[in-house]
RNA sequence: GGAGGUGUGGCCGAGUGGUUUAAGGCAGCAGUCUUGAAAACUGCCGUAGGGGUGACUCUACCGUGAGUUCGAAUCUCACCGCCUCCGCCA
């Protein structure tokens, strides 16, 4: 959420910056609501002041034993007028709030301008792309070839965009998550957290998924409840689309002591996305699933430190790929390609031989105070005043897509897959996945 | 699911209808004293928003939301959280 003061004082510049993100700010509606708000708020508060003063007089008069019927008559219909005015004010405030909640973050000055992903800037590459002297397969053929990846079973159990892993591949998936967690905790100084996978509306509003992106989420309510709207949790629960939501919301409505900063959290969780609107995209394989695992990194920092923290964050994510010896590149997303809450985003893309291209495996963003303002997440500054924090999040990494990259980059001519050195301790020393009993 | 208790500022805690502007304490900040520190003393000390060029001024907020009332931290109702016990459960 943007600072409404900023919109009141510098609307032209803000509108322009938002246009660079392909967002059209409703200038006229905003101005009109503001005008009305000012009028009605003043009116309401005048009525309240009058009521307060009169009530006090009544109290004083009564304590002196005087007759108060005159004063009472005077304010006979004040209550109704005040009530109506308060309702009007409430409506306008929530209309303004509604606008604010759907406005994306402002891009940082260093973000390249552009309308689409074609304007993203590559900033570095790492690793050598391996040349294969045999005909390569994609991860689906490899996984099915060794009998460890079963999409048919997953369709039976759930439907499309789900998968079933078996045997060594299931274990490799677990090994990857463990390896990532261990690296971030032991080498990068993160605090490991275990979070709820079902969260409430407020949490999703705090990080920016709601109210605008409801269709991307899965909603759940208790079984047997025929009228979820009338249940205790009126809005039901939402399955988390990323651990960013529960982790970042740890500081919602909190005032964190400055000494505690920076807070660096890591969690391994499943993520659930409806993938509405992506019909037909990445329908084959593990790339785009309704359920996938991810190791997520979150930094909660002092505003002066957030861009240093962003570099640290992306470095932490890159380290995982380097240890796995997977080639990748880092790009800066342009203004038109950034997510709703981000002021600046780096994506890491890993090399996928079967697609002969780099594919997103991590996204690291500085949200500055955008989420903190929605969450009222603050710290106490040098002067003892509460001030909004800055929040950052990044994947470190998407486990499923990392698995895809390993299958494809480490495939052998005989259909087996070599296991990266750093994962072998997590695999009881196993150094390759191959078909049971086969060579 | 059943029974009982409970929710007040950064923290503890008083407050059962009217000068409450929420007592008092702790923590914090400034000062006096001191070589320095501690102690003692004095003062300051919540958040958000509105109006005004400004000194200033007004409003809201006592878990959340409705209600009663001229007036609600206080009374009523619903919901949420926490605590204790019982039942169930991994």
């Amino acid at each position: 959420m943007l600072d409404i003061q900023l919109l009141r004082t510098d609307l032209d510049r803000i509108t322009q910056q938002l246009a660079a993100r392909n967002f059209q700010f409703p200038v006229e509606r905003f101005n009109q609501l503001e005008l009305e708000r000012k009028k009605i708020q003043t009116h309401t508060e005048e009525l309240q002041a009058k009521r307060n003063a009169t009530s006090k007089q009544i109290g004083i008069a009564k304590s002196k034993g005087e007759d108060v019927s005159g004063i009472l008559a005077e304010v006979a219909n004040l209550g109704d007028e005040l009530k109506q005015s308060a309702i009007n004010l409430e409506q306008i405030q929530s209309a303004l709030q509604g606008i604010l909640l759907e406005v994306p973050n402002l891009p940082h000055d260093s973000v390249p301008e552009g309308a689409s992903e074609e304007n993203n800037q590559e900033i570095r590459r790492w690793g050598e792309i391996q040349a294969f002297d045999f005909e390569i397969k994609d991860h689906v053929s490899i996984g099915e070839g060794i009998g460890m990846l079963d999409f048919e079973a997953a369709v039976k159990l759930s439907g499309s965009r789900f998968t079933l892993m078996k045997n060594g591949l299931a274990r490799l998936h677990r090994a990857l998550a463990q390896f990532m967690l261990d690296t971030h905790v032991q080498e990068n100084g993160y605090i490991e957290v275990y979070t709820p996978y079902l969260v409430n509306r407020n949490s999703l509003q705090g990080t920016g998924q709601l109210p605008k992106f409801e269709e991307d989420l899965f909603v759940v309510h208790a079984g047997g409840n025929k009228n979820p709207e009338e249940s205790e949790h009126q809005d039901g629960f939402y399955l988390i689309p990323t651990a960013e939501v529960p982790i970042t919301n740890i500081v919602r409505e909190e005032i964190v002591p400055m000494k505690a900063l920076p807070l660096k959290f890591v969690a391994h969780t499943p993520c659930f996305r409806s993938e509405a609107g992506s019909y037909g995209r990445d329908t084959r394989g593990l790339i785009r699933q309704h359920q996938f695992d991810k190791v997520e990194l979150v930094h909660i920092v002092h505003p002066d430190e957030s861009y240093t923290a962003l570099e640290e964050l992306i470095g932490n994510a890159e380290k995982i790929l380097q240890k796995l010896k997977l080639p990748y590149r880092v790009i800066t997303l342009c203004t038109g390609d950034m997510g709703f809450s981000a002021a600046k985003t780096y994506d890491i893309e890993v090399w996928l031989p079967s697609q002969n291209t780099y594919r997103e495996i991590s996204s690291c963003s500085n949200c500055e105070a955008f989420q903190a303002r929605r969450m009222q997440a603050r710290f106490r500054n040098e002067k003892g005043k509460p001030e909004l924090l800055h929040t950052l999040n990044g994947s470190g990494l998407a486990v499923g897509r990392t698995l895809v990259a390993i299958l494809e980059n480490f495939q052998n001519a005989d259909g087996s897959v070599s296991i990266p050195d750093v994962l072998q301790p997590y695999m009881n020393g196993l150094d390759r996945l191959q078909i049971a009993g086969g060579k």
Side-chain angles (χ1 to χ4, degrees):
Chain A
M1 196 159 69
L2 302 182
D3 186 355
I4 193 164
Q5 303 291 5
L6 213 59
L7 288 163
R8 285 175 184 148
T9 55
D10 206 2
L11 189 56
D12 288 348
R13 193 173 61 84
I14 303 299
T15 307
Q16 214 176 332
Q17 279 184 276
L18 289 171
R21 299 198 48 150
N22 304 327
F23 182 83
Q24 201 168 11
F25 186 83
V27 177
E28 216 156 288
R29 179 163 157 73
F30 177 78
N31 281 333
Q32 196 196 330
L33 281 170
E34 263 294 288
L35 207 68
E36 252 180 284
R37 190 220 89 229
K38 216 177 268 191
K39 198 176 78 191
I40 294 176
Q41 181 165 348
T42 312
H43 182 59
T44 307
E45 291 185 354
E46 273 168 7
L47 291 175
Q48 284 170 328
K50 189 172 172 190
R51 179 202 60 196
N52 291 347
T54 312
S55 296
K56 191 174 269 183
Q57 274 180 5
I58 292 171
I60 294 169
K62 268 195 165 178
S63 71
K64 289 179 185 161
E66 293 170 5
D67 174 43
V68 293
S69 56
I71 313 178
L72 280 177
E74 205 178 298
V75 292
N77 47 16
L78 188 66
D80 288 341
E81 199 185 343
L82 177 58
K83 195 171 283 180
Q84 189 52 52
S85 189
I87 289 169
N88 293 344
L89 180 61
E90 226 272 309
Q91 279 171 352
I92 287 175
Q93 300 275 38
S94 70
L96 278 166
Q97 181 76 356
I99 290 179
L100 282 183
L101 283 172
E102 303 216 341
V103 177
N105 202 356
L106 298 175
H108 187 255
D109 285 342
S110 65
V111 173
E113 230 178 276
S116 74
E117 59 182 338
E118 283 146 45
N119 304 103
N120 293 342
Q121 274 177 9
E122 180 177 312
I123 54 179
R124 60 179 167 271
R125 291 187 182 205
W126 184 93
E128 270 189 37
I129 291 165
Q130 196 187 325
F132 293 94
D133 56 5
F134 55 92
E135 191 160 336
I136 57 164
K137 299 193 274 189
D138 76 353
H139 71 275
V140 178
S141 304
I142 297 164
E144 287 177 344
I146 54 178
M148 299 185 187
L149 197 51
D150 191 342
F151 288 101
E152 275 178 38
V155 167
K156 178 174 67 184
L157 299 176
S158 302
S160 64
R161 292 204 190 281
F162 287 92
T163 195
L164 180 75
M165 290 182 257
K166 290 184 284 195
N167 218 316
L169 190 62
R171 181 161 187 180
L172 185 61
H173 183 263
R174 171 160 60 93
L176 265 174
Q178 300 278 59
F179 161 69
M180 291 177 193
L181 272 177
D182 285 349
T183 303
H184 292 308
V185 170
Q186 289 161 25
E187 298 180 23
N188 298 335
Y190 286 82
I191 297 165
E192 180 172 350
V193 291
Y194 171 84
T195 76
Y197 302 155
L198 294 170
V199 296
N200 56 34
R201 284 191 70 90
N202 280 341
S203 293
L204 287 153
Q205 181 173 302
T207 34
Q209 285 79 12
L210 289 180
K212 210 170 182 177
F213 306 103
E214 176 127 29
E215 71 277 10
D216 296 336
L217 302 166
F218 285 111
V219 191
V220 297
H221 61 83
N225 189 344
K226 300 258 167 47
N227 297 301
E229 284 78 26
E230 291 166 21
S231 73
E232 281 184 3
H233 289 93
Q234 247 184 25
D235 306 308
F237 288 118
Y238 292 80
L239 283 160
I240 56 171
T242 160
E244 168 199 343
V245 177
I247 306 176
T248 309
N249 275 279
I250 292 171
V251 294
R252 171 153 55 89
E253 290 154 53
E254 296 290 333
I255 298 178
V256 181
M258 202 162 61
K259 291 190 296 255
L261 301 176
L263 288 167
K264 292 161 58 181
F265 295 116
V266 59
H268 163 223
T269 73
C271 305
F272 302 91
R273 300 186 181 177
S274 75
E275 294 298 341
S278 64
Y279 305 110
R281 272 168 65 199
D282 301 312
T283 49
R284 180 177 166 85
L286 291 169
I287 295 288
R288 194 173 298 277
Q289 301 269 289
H290 286 311
Q291 171 187 322
F292 63 95
D293 278 29
K294 182 155 61 71
V295 169
E296 182 77 0
L297 308 172
V298 169
H299 288 216
I300 311 288
V301 305
H302 189 286
D304 296 345
E305 307 293 331
S306 65
Y307 281 92
T308 316
L310 181 60
E311 298 304 320
E312 183 188 331
L313 182 60
I314 185 87
N316 293 154
E318 283 178 71
K319 189 196 249 182
I320 300 294
L321 287 169
Q322 291 172 7
K323 285 183 180 245
L324 292 170
K325 301 195 169 80
L326 289 168
Y328 67 85
R329 64 172 187 169
V330 179
I331 59 175
T332 307
L333 296 192
C334 72
T335 51
D337 201 26
M338 280 197 300
F340 182 74
S341 299
K344 181 170 187 174
T345 301
Y346 293 122
D347 271 10
I348 303 177
E349 298 181 334
V350 71
W351 179 255
L352 289 191
S354 75
Q355 300 189 8
N356 198 39
T357 187
Y358 290 96
R359 290 300 304 262
E360 178 185 342
I361 198 168
S362 172
S363 191
C364 298
S365 300
N366 182 0
C367 300
E368 298 187 5
F370 186 84
Q371 295 180 323
R373 187 170 293 109
R374 291 172 161 251
M375 293 191 297
Q376 282 304 297
R378 298 172 294 175
F379 70 101
R380 214 166 272 284
N381 68 17
E382 294 82 348
K383 291 175 185 159
K385 292 290 171 196
E387 193 180 331
L388 293 172
L389 289 158
H390 278 194
T391 61
L392 303 92
N393 63 77
S395 352
L397 307 160
V399 179
R401 288 189 181 181
T402 309
L403 196 68
V404 169
I406 289 172
L407 289 178
E408 295 201 359
N409 284 279
F410 290 80
Q411 63 179 297
N412 301 309
D414 63 358
S416 69
V417 176
S418 301
I419 295 171
D421 299 345
V422 291
L423 294 180
Q424 288 176 17
Y426 292 89
M427 298 290 288
N428 201 24
L430 194 69
D431 66 357
R432 69 172 52 206
L433 296 181
Q434 56 196 343
I435 193 157
K439 282 277 159 242

PDB file of all heavy atoms in Angstrom, chain A residues 231-250:
ATOM      1  N   SER A 231     -20.116 -19.362   9.219  1.00  0.00           N
ATOM      2  CA  SER A 231     -19.299 -20.100  10.179  1.00  0.00           C
ATOM      3  C   SER A 231     -18.459 -19.153  11.008  1.00  0.00           C
ATOM      4  O   SER A 231     -18.424 -17.947  10.797  1.00  0.00           O
ATOM      5  CB  SER A 231     -18.397 -21.088   9.458  1.00  0.00           C
ATOM      6  OG  SER A 231     -17.360 -20.388   8.809  1.00  0.00           O
ATOM      7  N   GLU A 232     -17.764 -19.715  11.977  1.00  0.00           N
ATOM      8  CA  GLU A 232     -16.909 -18.919  12.862  1.00  0.00           C
ATOM      9  C   GLU A 232     -15.887 -18.127  12.067  1.00  0.00           C
ATOM     10  O   GLU A 232     -15.758 -16.926  12.210  1.00  0.00           O
ATOM     11  CB  GLU A 232     -16.176 -19.832  13.843  1.00  0.00           C
ATOM     12  CG  GLU A 232     -17.034 -20.277  15.001  1.00  0.00           C
ATOM     13  CD  GLU A 232     -16.228 -21.090  15.991  1.00  0.00           C
ATOM     14  OE1 GLU A 232     -15.020 -21.253  15.795  1.00  0.00           O
ATOM     15  OE2 GLU A 232     -16.829 -21.565  16.963  1.00  0.00           O
ATOM     16  N   HIS A 233     -15.155 -18.841  11.250  1.00  0.00           N
ATOM     17  CA  HIS A 233     -14.212 -18.159  10.382  1.00  0.00           C
ATOM     18  C   HIS A 233     -14.951 -17.808   9.100  1.00  0.00           C
ATOM     19  O   HIS A 233     -14.924 -18.530   8.125  1.00  0.00           O
ATOM     20  CB  HIS A 233     -12.989 -19.029  10.077  1.00  0.00           C
ATOM     21  CG  HIS A 233     -12.109 -19.191  11.262  1.00  0.00           C
ATOM     22  ND1 HIS A 233     -12.221 -20.229  12.130  1.00  0.00           N
ATOM     23  CD2 HIS A 233     -11.112 -18.410  11.735  1.00  0.00           C
ATOM     24  CE1 HIS A 233     -11.325 -20.086  13.092  1.00  0.00           C
ATOM     25  NE2 HIS A 233     -10.641 -18.995  12.875  1.00  0.00           N
ATOM     26  N   GLN A 234     -15.593 -16.673   9.165  1.00  0.00           N
ATOM     27  CA  GLN A 234     -16.508 -16.297   8.107  1.00  0.00           C
ATOM     28  C   GLN A 234     -15.881 -16.355   6.731  1.00  0.00           C
ATOM     29  O   GLN A 234     -16.531 -16.714   5.766  1.00  0.00           O
ATOM     30  CB  GLN A 234     -17.009 -14.876   8.373  1.00  0.00           C
ATOM     31  CG  GLN A 234     -18.474 -14.865   8.704  1.00  0.00           C
ATOM     32  CD  GLN A 234     -18.982 -13.455   8.871  1.00  0.00           C
ATOM     33  OE1 GLN A 234     -18.422 -12.523   8.324  1.00  0.00           O
ATOM     34  NE2 GLN A 234     -20.044 -13.320   9.609  1.00  0.00           N
ATOM     35  N   ASP A 235     -14.611 -15.981   6.668  1.00  0.00           N
ATOM     36  CA  ASP A 235     -13.976 -15.908   5.365  1.00  0.00           C
ATOM     37  C   ASP A 235     -13.260 -17.195   4.995  1.00  0.00           C
ATOM     38  O   ASP A 235     -12.672 -17.284   3.946  1.00  0.00           O
ATOM     39  CB  ASP A 235     -12.977 -14.749   5.347  1.00  0.00           C
ATOM     40  CG  ASP A 235     -13.650 -13.457   5.775  1.00  0.00           C
ATOM     41  OD1 ASP A 235     -14.687 -13.131   5.206  1.00  0.00           O
ATOM     42  OD2 ASP A 235     -13.130 -12.809   6.692  1.00  0.00           O
ATOM     43  N   GLY A 236     -13.302 -18.183   5.881  1.00  0.00           N
ATOM     44  CA  GLY A 236     -12.618 -19.426   5.602  1.00  0.00           C
ATOM     45  C   GLY A 236     -11.122 -19.239   5.682  1.00  0.00           C
ATOM     46  O   GLY A 236     -10.614 -18.188   6.044  1.00  0.00           O
ATOM     47  N   PHE A 237     -10.398 -20.296   5.314  1.00  0.00           N
ATOM     48  CA  PHE A 237      -8.946 -20.242   5.272  1.00  0.00           C
ATOM     49  C   PHE A 237      -8.492 -20.273   3.834  1.00  0.00           C
ATOM     50  O   PHE A 237      -9.209 -20.745   2.943  1.00  0.00           O
ATOM     51  CB  PHE A 237      -8.359 -21.455   6.002  1.00  0.00           C
ATOM     52  CG  PHE A 237      -8.509 -21.405   7.493  1.00  0.00           C
ATOM     53  CD1 PHE A 237      -9.250 -22.360   8.155  1.00  0.00           C
ATOM     54  CD2 PHE A 237      -7.883 -20.417   8.235  1.00  0.00           C
ATOM     55  CE1 PHE A 237      -9.373 -22.326   9.530  1.00  0.00           C
ATOM     56  CE2 PHE A 237      -8.001 -20.381   9.617  1.00  0.00           C
ATOM     57  CZ  PHE A 237      -8.748 -21.341  10.264  1.00  0.00           C
ATOM     58  N   TYR A 238      -7.300 -19.804   3.629  1.00  0.00           N
ATOM     59  CA  TYR A 238      -6.682 -19.887   2.305  1.00  0.00           C
ATOM     60  C   TYR A 238      -5.421 -20.726   2.412  1.00  0.00           C
ATOM     61  O   TYR A 238      -4.656 -20.594   3.367  1.00  0.00           O
ATOM     62  CB  TYR A 238      -6.298 -18.494   1.810  1.00  0.00           C
ATOM     63  CG  TYR A 238      -7.484 -17.612   1.504  1.00  0.00           C
ATOM     64  CD1 TYR A 238      -8.165 -16.960   2.525  1.00  0.00           C
ATOM     65  CD2 TYR A 238      -7.929 -17.442   0.192  1.00  0.00           C
ATOM     66  CE1 TYR A 238      -9.261 -16.147   2.247  1.00  0.00           C
ATOM     67  CE2 TYR A 238      -9.019 -16.633  -0.091  1.00  0.00           C
ATOM     68  CZ  TYR A 238      -9.680 -15.985   0.944  1.00  0.00           C
ATOM     69  OH  TYR A 238     -10.761 -15.189   0.653  1.00  0.00           O
ATOM     70  N   LEU A 239      -5.191 -21.575   1.406  1.00  0.00           N
ATOM     71  CA  LEU A 239      -3.924 -22.307   1.319  1.00  0.00           C
ATOM     72  C   LEU A 239      -2.852 -21.325   0.869  1.00  0.00           C
ATOM     73  O   LEU A 239      -3.071 -20.530  -0.053  1.00  0.00           O
ATOM     74  CB  LEU A 239      -4.055 -23.454   0.307  1.00  0.00           C
ATOM     75  CG  LEU A 239      -4.805 -24.692   0.813  1.00  0.00           C
ATOM     76  CD1 LEU A 239      -5.291 -25.533  -0.359  1.00  0.00           C
ATOM     77  CD2 LEU A 239      -3.921 -25.508   1.730  1.00  0.00           C
ATOM     78  N   ILE A 240      -1.709 -21.367   1.521  1.00  0.00           N
ATOM     79  CA  ILE A 240      -0.680 -20.377   1.188  1.00  0.00           C
ATOM     80  C   ILE A 240      -0.150 -20.586  -0.226  1.00  0.00           C
ATOM     81  O   ILE A 240       0.136 -21.711  -0.639  1.00  0.00           O
ATOM     82  CB  ILE A 240       0.503 -20.410   2.185  1.00  0.00           C
ATOM     83  CG1 ILE A 240       1.129 -21.803   2.285  1.00  0.00           C
ATOM     84  CG2 ILE A 240       0.061 -19.910   3.552  1.00  0.00           C
ATOM     85  CD1 ILE A 240       2.422 -21.824   3.081  1.00  0.00           C
ATOM     86  N   PRO A 241      -0.014 -19.501  -1.014  1.00  0.00           N
ATOM     87  CA  PRO A 241       0.559 -19.595  -2.348  1.00  0.00           C
ATOM     88  C   PRO A 241       2.086 -19.539  -2.287  1.00  0.00           C
ATOM     89  O   PRO A 241       2.761 -19.829  -3.267  1.00  0.00           O
ATOM     90  CB  PRO A 241       0.017 -18.352  -3.056  1.00  0.00           C
ATOM     91  CG  PRO A 241      -0.180 -17.359  -1.965  1.00  0.00           C
ATOM     92  CD  PRO A 241      -0.507 -18.139  -0.719  1.00  0.00           C
ATOM     93  N   THR A 242       2.614 -19.145  -1.140  1.00  0.00           N
ATOM     94  CA  THR A 242       4.053 -19.056  -0.892  1.00  0.00           C
ATOM     95  C   THR A 242       4.235 -18.834   0.603  1.00  0.00           C
ATOM     96  O   THR A 242       3.360 -18.259   1.259  1.00  0.00           O
ATOM     97  CB  THR A 242       4.698 -17.879  -1.654  1.00  0.00           C
ATOM     98  OG1 THR A 242       5.949 -17.548  -1.022  1.00  0.00           O
ATOM     99  CG2 THR A 242       3.822 -16.635  -1.626  1.00  0.00           C
ATOM    100  N   ALA A 243       5.385 -19.301   1.134  1.00  0.00           N
ATOM    101  CA  ALA A 243       5.641 -19.123   2.564  1.00  0.00           C
ATOM    102  C   ALA A 243       5.902 -17.665   2.913  1.00  0.00           C
ATOM    103  O   ALA A 243       5.885 -17.285   4.077  1.00  0.00           O
ATOM    104  CB  ALA A 243       6.835 -19.975   2.999  1.00  0.00           C
ATOM    105  N   GLU A 244       6.120 -16.848   1.890  1.00  0.00           N
ATOM    106  CA  GLU A 244       6.245 -15.397   2.116  1.00  0.00           C
ATOM    107  C   GLU A 244       5.077 -14.895   2.973  1.00  0.00           C
ATOM    108  O   GLU A 244       5.266 -14.025   3.827  1.00  0.00           O
ATOM    109  CB  GLU A 244       6.245 -14.676   0.764  1.00  0.00           C
ATOM    110  CG  GLU A 244       6.083 -13.166   0.835  1.00  0.00           C
ATOM    111  CD  GLU A 244       5.631 -12.569  -0.502  1.00  0.00           C
ATOM    112  OE1 GLU A 244       5.753 -13.262  -1.527  1.00  0.00           O
ATOM    113  OE2 GLU A 244       5.160 -11.424  -0.507  1.00  0.00           O
ATOM    114  N   VAL A 245       3.887 -15.448   2.733  1.00  0.00           N
ATOM    115  CA  VAL A 245       2.697 -14.952   3.429  1.00  0.00           C
ATOM    116  C   VAL A 245       2.785 -15.204   4.942  1.00  0.00           C
ATOM    117  O   VAL A 245       2.767 -14.247   5.720  1.00  0.00           O
ATOM    118  CB  VAL A 245       1.406 -15.537   2.829  1.00  0.00           C
ATOM    119  CG1 VAL A 245       0.192 -15.069   3.614  1.00  0.00           C
ATOM    120  CG2 VAL A 245       1.283 -15.141   1.363  1.00  0.00           C
ATOM    121  N   PRO A 246       2.882 -16.466   5.394  1.00  0.00           N
ATOM    122  CA  PRO A 246       2.955 -16.643   6.845  1.00  0.00           C
ATOM    123  C   PRO A 246       4.228 -16.050   7.467  1.00  0.00           C
ATOM    124  O   PRO A 246       4.163 -15.522   8.577  1.00  0.00           O
ATOM    125  CB  PRO A 246       2.906 -18.161   7.032  1.00  0.00           C
ATOM    126  CG  PRO A 246       3.277 -18.742   5.718  1.00  0.00           C
ATOM    127  CD  PRO A 246       2.822 -17.754   4.682  1.00  0.00           C
ATOM    128  N   ILE A 247       5.350 -16.136   6.775  1.00  0.00           N
ATOM    129  CA  ILE A 247       6.595 -15.647   7.411  1.00  0.00           C
ATOM    130  C   ILE A 247       6.558 -14.133   7.571  1.00  0.00           C
ATOM    131  O   ILE A 247       6.824 -13.602   8.645  1.00  0.00           O
ATOM    132  CB  ILE A 247       7.860 -16.018   6.605  1.00  0.00           C
ATOM    133  CG1 ILE A 247       7.926 -17.512   6.327  1.00  0.00           C
ATOM    134  CG2 ILE A 247       9.107 -15.605   7.395  1.00  0.00           C
ATOM    135  CD1 ILE A 247       9.112 -17.905   5.461  1.00  0.00           C
ATOM    136  N   THR A 248       6.228 -13.424   6.500  1.00  0.00           N
ATOM    137  CA  THR A 248       6.253 -11.959   6.576  1.00  0.00           C
ATOM    138  C   THR A 248       5.244 -11.459   7.597  1.00  0.00           C
ATOM    139  O   THR A 248       5.499 -10.506   8.320  1.00  0.00           O
ATOM    140  CB  THR A 248       5.959 -11.342   5.195  1.00  0.00           C
ATOM    141  OG1 THR A 248       6.816 -11.946   4.225  1.00  0.00           O
ATOM    142  CG2 THR A 248       6.205  -9.847   5.212  1.00  0.00           C
ATOM    143  N   ASN A 249       4.096 -12.135   7.677  1.00  0.00           N
ATOM    144  CA  ASN A 249       3.054 -11.700   8.601  1.00  0.00           C
ATOM    145  C   ASN A 249       3.380 -11.957  10.070  1.00  0.00           C
ATOM    146  O   ASN A 249       2.601 -11.575  10.951  1.00  0.00           O
ATOM    147  CB  ASN A 249       1.710 -12.332   8.235  1.00  0.00           C
ATOM    148  CG  ASN A 249       0.978 -11.539   7.172  1.00  0.00           C
ATOM    149  OD1 ASN A 249       0.330 -10.535   7.472  1.00  0.00           O
ATOM    150  ND2 ASN A 249       1.098 -11.952   5.916  1.00  0.00           N
ATOM    151  N   ILE A 250       4.521 -12.594  10.327  1.00  0.00           N
ATOM    152  CA  ILE A 250       4.956 -12.749  11.719  1.00  0.00           C
ATOM    153  C   ILE A 250       5.028 -11.380  12.386  1.00  0.00           C
ATOM    154  O   ILE A 250       4.677 -11.220  13.544  1.00  0.00           O
ATOM    155  CB  ILE A 250       6.347 -13.443  11.794  1.00  0.00           C
ATOM    156  CG1 ILE A 250       6.235 -14.903  11.340  1.00  0.00           C
ATOM    157  CG2 ILE A 250       6.913 -13.379  13.217  1.00  0.00           C
ATOM    158  CD1 ILE A 250       7.577 -15.600  11.177  1.00  0.00           C
TER     159      ILE A 250
END
